[in-house]
Amino acid sequence: MNQMVNGEWTAEPFQPRLRDGAYARPDSQFRDTVTADGRGGFAAEAGRYHLYVSLACPWAHRTLIVRRLKGLEEAVSVSVVHPYMGERGWQFDPTFPGSTVDHVNGVDYLYDVYRLARPDYSGIITVPVLWDRERRTIVNNESSEIIRMLNAEFGGCGAHGPDLYPQPLRAEIDALNERVYADVNNGVYRAGFATRQASYARAVTALFATLDELEQRLAGSRYLLGAQPTEADWRLFTTLVRFDAVYYGHFKCNLKRLVDYPNLWAYTRDLYQQPGIAATVDLAQIKHHYYASHPRLNPSGIVPLGPGLDFLAAHGRG
């Protein structure tokens, strides 16, 4: 993965913070907030904001799910990058089914959007990006914050549906998110991008210990915190739905498959079958991105045909 330095795309590869061979994800740099009342300068308004996403990326996938669950498809528009991340990063190329042009700024690469927002930007280029058409800048590129905005701040723009971060459950949601992020969402990357055996082993051990705990938790509860899905469920889902197709083989997270966990596999199918969610999952884009974009892990670039996964099979968790 390459990066920008002082507003210019560079051939200099980004070096993630690796200690003892362990991968450490860099922090997002754009952290402003859209609010219902506009404090801080970013007011929630229908048609004002635009999401830049990859259908392959689990972090961007979160934002598409919340946008769908809150009925904000008309209020917040979307552009989708090509799944292949090459030497110049994410590209707008509609030749791959599901990908689009840049509908707002008309640029060819996502790094151009970052440059428009901050001409001297230095850092990596990531999705999702929440863009403000009015001020012509990036509001935020941290997925966990974008989904909170979409959930809570767009009521005046037609948002409806369940509150995914209800006040009585916030402490529990936050605690679950912290554990799931460290050991599962980011844990698969810590395993896949590890450069030393011990770091890989630590990541995989923590990943499957947490999956084992979640399997037991879901034995007594339809969702992580009761009878209704919350933000915590959707943050977990975007990793689980990719697990057997990508992380099991490509990232060597292969102690068990998702389908070997009766409760987690049924739970994933349950969430997949929620209204509108299947349309946010594109396994062709997902597999093409991971297997074609990581030459160190998959030098041939061959994208596997399998596995066969039936997300529409009855889940029995009613």
Side-chain angles (χ1 to χ4, degrees):
M1 179 186 295
N2 291 19
Q3 62 181 322
M4 293 184 78
V5 176
N6 295 323
E8 296 298 327
W9 188 251
T10 174
E12 177 185 348
F14 169 73
Q15 299 295 333
R17 291 172 294 180
L18 291 167
R19 293 182 298 176
D20 299 326
Y23 171 77
R25 185 175 298 278
D27 293 332
S28 302
Q29 295 193 42
F30 292 88
R31 308 298 285 271
D32 287 316
T33 304
V34 175
T35 58
D37 61 8
R39 63 186 183 278
F42 296 98
E45 301 171 9
R48 177 170 172 176
Y49 298 99
H50 186 75
L51 275 171
Y52 290 104
V53 302
S54 163
L55 299 182
C57 171
W59 319 101
H61 192 182
R62 299 173 176 183
T63 65
L64 291 176
I65 287 173
V66 176
R67 174 177 174 263
R68 178 64 61 91
L69 292 173
K70 302 300 289 190
L72 289 170
E73 293 98 326
E74 297 298 323
V76 180
S77 54
V78 169
S79 293
V80 181
V81 296
H82 191 284
Y84 175 66
M85 181 189 286
E87 292 183 355
R88 300 182 73 182
W90 295 116
Q91 182 178 8
F92 297 101
D93 178 355
T95 59
F96 197 101
S99 297
T100 73
V101 298
D102 175 3
H103 296 301
V104 174
N105 291 299
V107 299
D108 292 326
Y109 290 91
L110 188 61
Y111 67 74
D112 290 317
V113 175
Y114 277 70
R115 182 189 287 135
L116 288 171
R118 188 179 295 170
D120 62 349
Y121 178 79
S122 293
I124 61 172
I125 307 302
T126 62
V127 287
V129 168
L130 184 64
W131 175 266
D132 179 6
R133 296 172 185 260
E134 181 177 301
R135 294 178 59 178
R136 294 193 51 76
T137 192
I138 295 172
V139 181
N140 198 292
N141 68 335
E142 170 51 54
S143 66
S144 63
E145 296 173 1
I146 294 172
I147 65 174
R148 294 267 172 96
M149 297 176 216
L150 297 177
N151 177 64
E153 304 298 336
F154 283 79
C157 304
H160 56 270
D163 181 5
L164 302 175
Y165 190 54
Q167 185 68 47
L169 297 178
R170 288 184 180 181
E172 291 180 84
I173 290 172
D174 289 344
L176 266 172
N177 284 347
E178 183 175 359
R179 177 74 184 280
V180 167
Y181 170 80
D183 293 342
V184 181
N185 300 143
N186 199 44
V188 295
Y189 286 87
R190 289 171 51 231
F193 292 151
T195 58
R196 296 186 183 178
Q197 187 70 37
S199 298
Y200 160 78
R202 283 195 298 271
V204 169
T205 299
L207 166 65
F208 282 95
T210 301
L211 290 177
D212 289 345
E213 291 179 20
L214 294 169
E215 172 74 6
Q216 293 304 310
R217 184 186 191 103
L218 291 167
S221 177
R222 181 170 180 179
Y223 303 111
L224 292 176
L225 290 165
Q228 299 296 326
T230 68
E231 171 191 295
D233 295 285
W234 296 114
R235 286 175 51 139
L236 175 60
F237 171 78
T238 60
T239 298
L240 296 183
V241 79
R242 289 161 171 75
F243 198 89
D244 285 2
V246 173
Y247 304 138
Y248 178 84
H250 187 58
F251 279 178
K252 304 180 182 68
C253 300
N254 58 2
L255 297 185
K256 293 181 184 178
R257 301 168 301 167
L258 178 64
V259 298
D260 297 325
Y261 286 101
N263 295 319
L264 278 167
W265 173 225
Y267 162 83
T268 302
R269 301 198 309 275
D270 184 1
L271 291 172
Y272 181 91
Q273 294 171 32
Q274 298 290 311
I277 299 305
T280 71
V281 179
D282 191 322
L283 283 178
Q285 290 242 358
I286 289 167
K287 291 198 295 184
H288 188 87
H289 166 67
Y290 284 95
Y291 287 101
S293 302
H294 299 150
R296 183 174 66 83
L297 301 182
N298 187 35
S300 71
I302 291 174
V303 180
L305 297 179
L309 297 168
D310 186 2
F311 290 108
L312 294 176
H315 55 76
R317 294 184 65 82

